[in-house]
Amino acid sequence: MEDKKQKIVNQTYQSIQNHVNDFQEMQSPLDKKAEASKQASVVLDSAPSLKAQASLGNDQGTNDANVVGSAIAAAKAKPVNKKSVSSSPPGSFVASFDSKVGWNAFSAAPNPGDEQAIAELNSKLGLDALINMYKGVRSSSTTDSTDDQEDLVSHFLDKAYYGEWYHNAAVMLFTVVFTWLLTKLGGGLMACIVIGAFLATYYQTSIRRLRRNVRDDIQRELAMNRLETESESADWINHFVSRFWLIYEPVLSAQIIGIADSILVDSTPSFLDSIRLTSFTLGTKAPRIESIRTLTKTEPNIVCMDWKFSFIPNDTFDLTERDRLSKVNPKIVLTIRVGKGMIGAGIPILLEDLAFSGHLRLKFRMFNEFPHIKTVEASFLEKPHFDYVLKPVGGETFGFDINNIPGLETFVQEQVHATLGPMMYAPNVFTLDVAGMLSGAADLDSANGVLVIKIHSASGLKDNDLFGTLDPYITIHIGNPNNAELGRTKCIEDSRHPKFDETLFVLLNSVLNDTLVLEVMDRNTGRSDSSIGTCTFDLKTLAESDNLVEGLSLPVFKKGKPSGRVKCDFHYFPVNSSDKQEDGTTIPPEESNSGILRFTVHECKELGSQKSGSNSGGISIPVIGSSNKNDLSPYAIIKVNDKERLRTNPFKRSINPRWDKQIELFITDKTQTSLRINVLDDASDDKQLGYWSSKLEDFEEDVFINNQDWWPLKGGNGKIHLSMQWKPITMTGFTEGMSHGYRSPIGVVRVHFKEANDLKNVEAMTGGKSDPYVRVMSGVQNRGQTEYVEDDLDPVWNQVLYIPVHSKREDLIFEVMDYNSNSKDKTLGITDLLLKDVMREIKTEEGHVYYESTALEPIERVTNLTSLDRKKGRGTLKYTVVFYPTLALPKEEDHNKKKITEQEEEEEGSTTYSQVSEEPEFIEKPRELPERDLHGELVQYKFLSTTDKKLIDLSAYESGVLAVKIHSVTLSEPQRVVVDLMLDSNDPQFSTIEQKGAQLEINETGTAFVKEMDFSKLIVRIRNVHDTDKDDNACGRCVLEVRHIIERLLKTAEDESLTEPLIEDIPLLDSAGGRIRLSFSFIPVIQFKLDPAESLENQGNLTVSVVKAANLTAADRSGTSDPFIRFYVDEQRVYKTQTYKKTLNPVFNKDETFTVPIVNRIYTPLVAKIFDWDQIGKDTLLGECKITFTAEDVETFVTTTKEYKLDKGGLLTLRLTWRPELVARKRTNTSLFSATTRVFTQAPGSALVAGKDVVGTAGGRVLGAGSKVFGSGVSAIGSGFRSIGKIGKRSSGVSFEESPIEREVSSPNADNSSVLSSSPSSSSVLSKQPTTATRSVSEEGLGGSTMIQVSLIEARNLKAMDRGGTSDPYCRVRVGNKALYKTHHIKKTLSPDWNESFTTQVASSTVLNFKVKDHNKLNDVDIGEHQFQVGQYLKAGQQTGFDGWLTLSPEGTGEIHVKLAIVDTDTATIASKSSGGLFSRK
């Protein structure tokens, strides 16, 4: 009988031993898995999928923003097929809210799963008190039977009235008092005994309860102490695992094989035929938990344990003799096959005797929601120990363990520790998001959202390559540039300012907590591409900005130095997720035709032949290795919309290949998406074994509704296993954001730059000082700059700049620069202005968004300057800043869309909300125009008389933002140019990306602020990139009046037949045949009132004629003086009269007239100082006065005679004429606006009335030609044209008959009258003169030869050439090599007064060379010179001359004051010098 039992036991152990998974060498993974599953009698599901790729394509096969946007817009317009989904999970239970559920319904203590409540409690009580609170409460019901004995006291008294020390003390005191009272009343011994009995009974009950409570407390503390200090055994779970392991191990091995072989197929080098697992088992001995120790001093919602575990299957110490006989050790055999076909041979690699042990700390964090385990953190408290035997050759019999090689085992262990250490060796932890994985919200294997990156352009890229051209493209990375590339743009050849206009899609499978890296690369031929630089973007910003960041201009850095800018937008679209309601029901994710498709091809069966047979398990056993039709090497090609997306590696020598490969891509429209898989044979010259194809919608129905897994192959035998995952994404706001980088302005920032202090001196090496100015940078665009201040480290600018802003994230950079005329300007420091500090975003209840200023008054700041890399710099900048919003009208919801939404609400019985634009629409045409805008400001409307239609009256707004879209430019010859926009400024406020050619498609939009519509002018300049913006050279230009632009916009809006924006085709000046196509829009600015000091009327030229002086102080002994006058502006001398001898009432009859530019006439007075000339000694001051010429003192364009009192007695009579102009920049002393002004349609008084006589004083006559100061009105700018060509055109090219935008012209008629197209809204009386010629005045020369008079008046700020810090200057005038004139030299001065004149014959091409030299006895030294182009300043028939300061070169050597006038050869007299300019009749 015993022998029979022993035989049964041995057979049982033998059967267990046979469970080792030992497979044939060429068995496919499917066969291995089927065999293992058969032995375990377990049916397995498919192996898990691999991690998805990081990069994300799309079904359109292109990144073109227009194509993708059109596809998404079409998908949104189509109906969505909705799948029915259960509203609540199976087995869910919804409790009634009227009932009390759970212990926390009866307690004030918070639930430990409520993380917020626990955190607040922890901050109030501290961690120790919190731990003690949740240690547990003493239970009165859990007592021993001996402690629950009832007595008389416990029948009548509640437990709350005994058991405490004060209860006992009170009872004893009561007994003593009551006994004394009974004795006093005559009670006997028996009464005292009765009272004592009651006392004894009470005391016994109380002390019994006290002991029980003490014992419970001691037991609890001992239990807690034991948990912390002692380790518990886990024998019960080890016993369970040892039984379960024999059943589960074959299943686990089969799962590992299914995954491993598909990976080995991709990892097989080309010189090997195949790599396969031929044997695999983890042994019969299960892993073991050695001990568990619990840490109790943790937060109430955390359980922390230390586990010691081991997996040592070759340890036989704890096994019985029978267990040793049946034990199987882990064994893995990897066979590498070398050779092809029949001549191939397999080399086995054996890995056995695996062993592992470690000490692991597990921390479980719990919370209220299912599955109530939020995260699990794992960390090794000490380095784990592992061992193995690896025999790469020789197999099991003759194999050699390579760990016997000295140092190799230690090296392998160190590499493993180095890899795992940063990941999960204490204090590092590995965190597993259990709740996220179970809920599907944190799918770590696939995308959970799409990041849409719109890359518009790059600019200012620096070429670090010495060879070839710059051919940039941009790659996308997460984390750092060394990580996998997620996408790239196209390559733009030979451009430092490339335009991409591409949309890239990047999947994100976790929360937005990474850094996005854009690396700008330069494509090279014949060598690896080089990096230009990288720019980074913190994705956390998206989460803080409602998943949308637009209008970014990211700086590109290489090794800490700026290398350009990239203009881009970011928009994150998370996948639609289900929403759990308060009542427990679950709302399924919103369906959409756009989303992320994860398409997986798993495996194929029985390719190329019919089934060879079947067994009871339904598993086919293929014959591998024989040379027949079943000897295949199949691979699959996955196509989406007939474009190849994935090609698997060939699975060698199998008719049942397994690939487990998937693609993940963004689908713009699933209704237009088709899928196809071609299965080919690599061993038979890519012979097709079959194919499968389907529409995506049909495939989705088969998978999710019909629950289909396998599909038959067409065109061959076999079947294919496929699966898909669809994550819908609602692309709300995607198509609305396709703006190609331009967004409507939301407001204007006014910055008043006052001064800077203690700036860095970058010219110290040359003995000078910095010449600072401030420029405002928005990305790479210079939006405006102040004038520079020469040689001053504490400059005072006192200038105001207006910068339109288009997004709440469009932060500005104020950069202080050092001006250099002949080299690149140097930075002195920067400071940032965050728009959120000066403006705030407001959302209405209806969802509309608008912006307002954070302060009613300008905010004053004094900021420290930093370097470009944000390190500490030197100097401070003082400025004030304020924000003014633009007119914001709510966007009306589309009526049809609203109707559809209402129908869906009726059908589904659910509430949906209308979608509104995130940004306000400014001058759209809504269905009903509101009376007030979102700011509450009244909207100015214009009612049309012919219809009931009303429009926003743009002309009623004095200020606003003018948006200019530059469509294209046509030049006479190919050039590399940029287009600059300048509105009432000498400096560009917007510049396009440079382009090369004669026909240029620009398609860029720039904005500029209009302060005063009536006075503002826009200059569009085409500039060669080789010419800096410091030069006024232009390849072409046009000058437009803003008032006429607005009138044109209103006319276009009134014409209902025009459905497209009006594009003006405008000829270019200074460019033969050149043209430019522009379109405009105007957005009014509200809550803004212009400071009168900033008015364009207060900037211009002041002409002063010195008439006479009276009652001057006598300075000489003779009782007279020799007076002369010096005039000063900002403490700089601008003019000096001649000396009038021996008089106290001089009449200045020697043509004492000069013109001086004034930046602001309100704050800049003219100072006159009268001196007595002394031949020996210093001149004596006779008196001075301050001359004001504001609008109250001097009317514009009207010559006014004024008397001023001198401070030391006497009167000074002057004639003043004020002509508003944009003052020329001082670095060139000229500007495009040197002859530019606007007719003042709202000028004070009757200054503009034609034919107004001006009466002189003291018999004098107003200087000028004729008795009329102002003629019929002038609107000329430079030598512009008017109405040349057909300007008004539709985008289709159809010309308009109406007059186009008015531009300034000059007429060559004899009367020299100018022409202005008067508008009905003009308040001035202007005559309209016809234009009889279109030839530019600038093309008219002086004719053959003209006599001119050249007056060399004086010089200032000359460079010191002598040791004493002075010079002995004189001026020499030459034409070519011919010397015309030389002044006498004046000793020891840097501001000489020559006052010498000469006449000469000149032509329009004559160049006068003015050279100032320092006189020396041996050799004269050059100080500086100026080349004067006569034809540029003097014209034929011109009655005015030139009077101004010329800058000497090189820079910093001084200026020279020169007058030139045309001489009438008949009378030999100088013509009138009335400098009427463009505002008076010539």
Side-chain angles (χ1 to χ4, degrees), residues 306-597:
D306 292 345
W307 286 24
K308 287 186 178 180
F309 66 96
S310 64
F311 178 59
I312 311 176
N314 55 353
D315 183 15
T316 60
F317 179 76
D318 57 345
L319 299 181
T320 64
E321 186 63 28
R322 290 178 180 178
D323 292 337
R324 292 192 187 97
L325 294 176
S326 60
K327 183 179 72 71
V328 175
N329 288 333
K331 179 181 179 182
I332 302 173
V333 178
L334 183 70
T335 300
I336 299 177
R337 186 175 180 84
V338 181
K340 303 292 183 181
M342 299 299 295
I343 62 173
I347 302 174
I349 297 177
L350 177 63
L351 180 64
E352 59 182 357
D353 293 341
L354 298 175
F356 183 85
S357 63
H359 190 188
L360 190 67
R361 171 164 291 179
L362 298 176
K363 183 182 290 186
F364 301 87
R365 183 178 296 273
M366 297 170 287
F367 72 133
N368 284 337
E369 300 177 5
F370 181 82
H372 305 296
I373 301 295
K374 186 175 183 179
T375 59
V376 177
E377 296 180 359
S379 175
F380 281 106
L381 299 180
E382 56 189 31
K383 293 181 180 180
H385 302 282
F386 59 91
D387 191 16
Y388 59 92
V389 174
L390 178 61
K391 299 178 180 179
V393 290
E396 195 168 355
T397 306
F398 302 102
F400 172 74
D401 185 7
I402 64 171
N403 285 330
N404 294 328
I405 300 176
L408 182 59
E409 182 179 11
T410 305
F411 173 76
V412 173
Q413 290 180 348
E414 289 177 353
Q415 291 301 312
V416 172
H417 293 321
T419 303
L420 292 179
M423 185 186 305
M424 55 187 312
Y425 286 4
N428 303 317
V429 295
F430 177 78
T431 303
L432 186 64
D433 188 0
V434 179
M437 289 191 299
L438 293 181
S439 65
D443 188 353
L444 301 181
D445 285 338
S446 60
N448 294 296
V450 173
L451 177 63
V452 180
I453 305 175
K454 300 176 186 177
I455 300 180
H456 301 290
S457 60
S459 58
L461 300 181
K462 294 184 179 179
D463 187 7
N464 299 318
D465 197 350
L466 300 178
F467 307 98
T469 58
L470 184 64
D471 307 320
Y473 64 92
I474 298 177
T475 60
I476 311 297
H477 308 265
I478 292 289
N480 61 74
N482 297 324
N483 290 341
E485 179 183 315
L486 308 184
R488 69 168 60 190
T489 66
K490 61 188 176 184
C491 181
I492 307 297
E493 296 185 355
D494 192 15
S495 177
R496 297 178 184 274
H497 307 277
K499 291 181 65 176
F500 297 103
D501 279 335
E502 292 194 47
T503 301
L504 302 179
F505 299 90
V506 175
L507 69 86
L508 296 176
N509 54 12
S510 60
V511 293
L512 302 173
N513 55 5
D514 288 319
T515 300
L516 186 73
V517 178
L518 281 69
E519 184 171 21
V520 186
M521 302 291 294
D522 176 25
R523 188 187 65 185
N524 298 316
T525 304
R527 52 196 173 94
S528 60
D529 297 347
S530 57
S531 175
I532 300 174
T534 60
C535 46
T536 59
F537 176 74
D538 191 355
L539 293 178
K540 293 180 181 178
T541 309
L542 280 171
E544 300 169 356
S545 306
D546 297 330
N547 294 334
L548 175 64
V549 176
E550 292 185 299
L552 281 179
S553 181
L554 300 177
V556 180
F557 289 100
K558 183 174 184 180
K559 297 181 180 179
K561 296 182 179 179
S563 300
R565 291 253 176 187
V566 174
K567 193 173 184 180
C568 55
D569 302 333
F570 298 102
H571 201 168
Y572 178 68
F573 296 94
V575 297
N576 299 341
S577 58
S578 58
D579 186 17
K580 190 173 182 180
Q581 301 297 305
E582 293 182 356
D583 59 357
T585 60
T586 301
I587 298 178
E590 180 184 356
E591 289 295 328
S592 173
N593 286 328
S594 301
I596 299 175
L597 170 66

Side-chain angles (χ1 to χ4, degrees), residues 1089-1108:
K1089 185 177 181 181
L1090 183 67
D1091 187 348
E1094 300 176 31
S1095 174
L1096 295 174
E1097 189 180 2
N1098 292 322
Q1099 183 177 174
N1101 289 327
L1102 177 67
T1103 301
V1104 181
S1105 296
V1106 186
V1107 179
K1108 63 180 180 179

Side-chain angles (χ1 to χ4, degrees), residues 1 55 68 97 141 154 232 365 409 465 525 646 656 679 740 743 815 996 1003 1050 1062 1119 1262 1341:
M1 189 68 180
S55 60
V68 176
F97 287 99
S141 61
S154 60
E232 301 178 61
R365 183 178 296 273
E409 182 179 11
D465 197 350
T525 304
L646 178 66
N656 297 317
V679 182
H740 298 284
R743 301 184 68 199
E815 185 173 13
K996 182 179 181 181
N1003 292 323
L1050 287 174
L1062 186 67
V1262 176

Side-chain angles (χ1 to χ4, degrees), residues 20-197:
V20 176
N21 297 313
D22 195 1
F23 308 107
Q24 298 179 12
E25 175 185 343
M26 298 311 300
Q27 272 189 287
S28 70
L30 181 65
D31 300 330
K32 298 174 186 176
K33 178 180 176 181
E35 183 177 340
S37 301
K38 180 180 177 182
Q39 294 174 358
S41 301
V42 176
V43 180
L44 300 175
D45 293 328
S46 300
S49 304
L50 299 178
K51 183 174 176 60
Q53 297 178 0
S55 60
L56 194 64
N58 62 76
D59 57 332
Q60 300 299 318
T62 178
N63 293 329
D64 185 86
N66 294 325
V67 175
V68 176
S70 300
I72 293 178
K76 291 173 64 178
K78 297 177 181 178
V80 180
N81 294 328
K82 298 184 178 181
K83 301 188 292 289
S84 59
V85 181
S86 175
S87 61
S88 60
S92 62
F93 174 78
V94 181
S96 172
F97 287 99
D98 297 332
S99 59
K100 293 185 177 181
V101 180
W103 66 267
N104 50 334
F106 303 91
S107 173
N111 192 315
D114 189 347
E115 296 181 340
Q116 182 176 0
I118 291 297
E120 293 178 357
L121 204 59
N122 186 17
S123 62
K124 295 179 181 178
L125 303 179
L127 181 59
D128 294 336
L130 184 64
I131 294 173
N132 292 330
M133 176 182 292
Y134 287 91
K135 267 187 174 182
V137 232
R138 181 182 298 114
S139 175
S140 60
S141 61
T142 314
T143 57
D144 296 337
S145 59
T146 57
D147 296 329
D148 288 335
Q149 300 173 0
E150 295 184 356
D151 49 36
L152 184 63
V153 176
S154 60
H155 274 293
F156 296 98
L157 286 180
D158 188 83
K159 293 182 179 180
Y161 299 105
Y162 62 90
E164 301 295 341
W165 65 268
Y166 49 85
H167 293 151
N168 299 336
V171 169
M172 290 183 180
L173 180 62
F174 172 78
T175 302
V176 171
V177 173
F178 191 70
T179 303
W180 175 82
L181 182 62
L182 286 178
T183 307
K184 195 72 173 174
L185 296 176
L189 179 62
M190 183 58 65
C192 294
I193 293 175
V194 172
I195 295 175

Side-chain angles (χ1 to χ4, degrees), residues 1250-1264:
K1252 179 178 176 68
D1253 292 285
V1254 180
V1255 181
T1257 59
R1261 187 172 62 87
V1262 176
L1263 294 178

